[in-house]
Amino acid sequence: MGGGVTGAVVDQPPIAGPVDSVELTAHPLQRIGAFALAALADVQSPAAVSGERLVAVADWMTDHVVDAATGPDTKTPAGFWLKCSLSLFPNSPMNHPSNGKKPQRVVADAVRRWRGRPKQEQNPHVPCTLCGRPAAGFYGKMDVPLAESDLYRNSTPRHHHGMALCWPCLCCFHALPYGSQLTGGPAVVLHSWDEAFLSWTVAEQVDRNRREILVGRGLPRQPPSHEVLALRALRGYHDELNAGVELLVYSNNNRGPALDVHVMDQPLAEWLRRTSQAPVTRAGFTILLRAHKGRNRPGVVNVSRNAFREPGRIVSTAGAWLGRAACVGRLPAGTSELVKLCMSYVDEVMGMNQEDLAEIRVTADRVGQLLGEGTAGQFNKFYVTFRKLRFPR
Ligand SMILES: [Zn+2]
């Protein structure tokens, strides 16, 4: 970071005083970190992480980082954090190239200075960029994932102090990895403006990270694809979703900084959550997964990818699969459940006009009757003529 004064804060009135509680802001990664702090502190709400409790959680996270930085190698549970740190906290004292040659005490001191709460006399007298309360300092990529792509240099420009953050907001960014699926490369995390869902899904991820990493089970050899992680989260949630979900894939690594955002709107997110759970629709959902099975890819991967990238393909893929099965005269068990499921998609996700929907049903029934009177060859001819549907990869 260079010297000088950040233009954005020149006109701010001087403010002072310690800030001791976590607040939710409009920054998705800060919000995820806030709920991760709540999960680590074993409380329901980020606002309950305050005072001594916030200090205790921050100290706990610092201990993990010190253990990782001074541990024997990256194969130990603590070492996993060291490996991930290049994607999360690059250029930090925990992964400095010379650490291996320094005494452990020196490395530990450097890490604790980095992670420790700034002293009051360092108060920069500017508000936190995210919550507006007094900032504790200016922070760059060593603490906060900044970049959206390689095109942006992912570093604090010369003569710019970085992002002004209060200490609780800074702690949220330090807690972000606990709420993320860690891969050793880019981390994956779900965000939603439905705070009940966000609280639940982050707490689940914190639990998994505790089990899989902190107690020594290590990284899953082949983590599920990003989209499957999202679908799994939706399927595990038992309350109605009141907002869409965003799948965030981020890396703060010096070599490939990135932040990819995939959005799923509320109607589709809620439809996936509900239909994959309710007994009456689960049978259809199972067939939907079969219909999406590709040559080299399980159905759940294709459904998840379609849900985030091309939602319309969910129904068209099911239709194409049924068409192929009908051509060879072998409609599978569960066909009617799949058709009902697809119709509920058209109704609830696409929001099709009810009169149009009724007309489609009547027409489909007539076509079905006509074809039912013919032969498989006639149906095949019909299918070949009208297929413009794409198949799963
Ligand atoms: Zn703040």
Side-chain angles (χ1 to χ4, degrees):
M1 288 190 290
V5 176
T6 305
V9 299
V10 166
D11 297 330
Q12 297 293 343
I15 45 180
V19 180
D20 280 326
S21 61
V22 175
E23 271 192 13
L24 288 175
T25 71
H27 193 300
L29 296 180
Q30 185 272 349
R31 289 162 56 81
I32 292 161
F35 280 107
L37 279 178
L40 290 168
D42 209 14
V43 293
Q44 286 293 315
S45 153
V49 186
S50 60
E52 291 301 312
R53 189 176 275 147
L54 177 57
V55 172
V57 178
D59 286 348
W60 195 55
M61 292 192 296
T62 300
D63 288 344
H64 289 159
V65 174
V66 169
D67 287 348
T70 57
D73 58 53
T74 58
K75 292 192 176 69
T76 63
F80 179 77
W81 286 103
L82 188 60
K83 187 178 170 198
C84 291
S85 72
L86 293 171
S87 296
L88 302 166
F89 309 113
N91 315 331
S92 71
M94 76 179 290
N95 51 36
H96 194 278
S98 66
N99 278 2
K101 298 174 191 154
K102 295 178 188 165
Q104 288 190 345
R105 179 183 50 76
V106 173
V107 175
D109 287 349
V111 170
R112 289 192 188 282
R113 273 199 302 280
W114 163 47
R115 283 302 189 96
R117 182 172 188 165
K119 291 196 170 67
Q120 190 60 28
E121 58 264 30
Q122 294 173 346
N123 185 338
H125 299 285
V126 295
C128 171
T129 308
L130 300 182
C131 72
R133 297 177 296 174
F138 296 98
Y139 299 92
K141 73 172 297 185
M142 193 164 74
D143 297 274
V144 183
L146 293 176
E148 292 196 352
S149 79
D150 280 335
L151 298 176
Y152 185 86
R153 295 306 305 164
N154 198 28
S155 59
T156 308
R158 284 171 68 84
H159 308 303
H160 193 295
H161 274 131
M163 187 190 285
L165 291 175
C166 67
W167 189 59
C169 281
L170 177 65
C171 289
C172 291
F173 285 108
H174 289 165
L176 175 63
Y178 295 86
S180 307
Q181 170 73 48
L182 302 172
T183 67
V188 186
V189 72
L190 271 184
H191 174 257
S192 175
W193 298 103
D194 182 332
E195 287 175 5
F197 171 74
L198 186 60
S199 171
W200 174 83
T201 192
V202 169
E204 289 281 304
Q205 189 60 57
V206 168
D207 264 1
R208 275 195 291 275
N209 280 340
R210 272 177 173 160
R211 280 199 309 271
E212 293 178 358
I213 300 162
L214 300 182
V215 298
R217 275 176 49 189
L219 177 69
R221 281 197 175 199
Q222 202 168 14
S225 76
H226 306 156
E227 294 91 346
V228 170
L229 285 169
L231 183 61
R232 184 189 291 170
L234 290 174
R235 293 178 70 174
Y237 187 58
H238 291 286
D239 291 322
E240 185 177 344
L241 264 173
N242 294 308
V245 295
E246 296 160 323
L247 179 65
L248 309 174
V249 184
Y250 68 93
S251 173
N252 207 17
N253 194 299
N254 287 335
R255 291 183 181 170
L259 173 62
D260 293 329
V261 182
H262 306 279
V263 178
M264 188 190 294
D265 291 336
Q266 186 272 341
L268 176 55
E270 172 58 14
W271 181 84
L272 280 172
R273 184 200 68 78
R274 192 176 48 72
T275 56
S276 62
Q277 288 176 3
V280 287
T281 49
R282 205 161 52 207
F285 198 86
T286 303
I287 306 296
L288 183 73
L289 295 180
R290 270 181 66 192
H292 277 76
K293 187 173 183 313
R295 203 170 298 134
N296 301 312
R297 205 179 273 167
V300 66
V301 174
N302 281 326
V303 168
S304 308
R305 289 174 70 95
N306 282 346
F308 277 103
R309 294 160 196 250
E310 293 184 82
R313 285 186 63 166
I314 291 178
V315 168
S316 67
T317 300
W321 184 75
L322 282 175
R324 278 178 286 163
C327 280
V328 294
R330 281 205 302 264
L331 280 174
T335 293
S336 64
E337 284 86 352
L338 179 57
V339 170
K340 277 186 203 149
L341 189 72
C342 289
M343 294 310 281
S344 78
Y345 179 97
V346 173
D347 182 20
E348 297 167 29
V349 180
M350 296 172 69
M352 187 172 276
N353 179 294
Q354 287 298 317
E355 286 181 13
D356 292 344
L357 199 55
E359 186 64 30
I360 288 172
R361 283 199 174 100
V362 170
T363 305
D365 283 347
R366 284 186 194 139
V367 171
Q369 282 170 13
L370 283 171
L371 292 172
E373 291 163 5
T375 63
Q378 284 174 305
F379 190 15
N380 198 23
K381 191 174 162 192
F382 173 86
Y383 173 66
V384 168
T385 305
F386 290 98
R387 72 174 170 191
K388 283 186 179 170
L389 303 168
R390 285 179 288 180
F391 293 86
R393 291 177 290 266

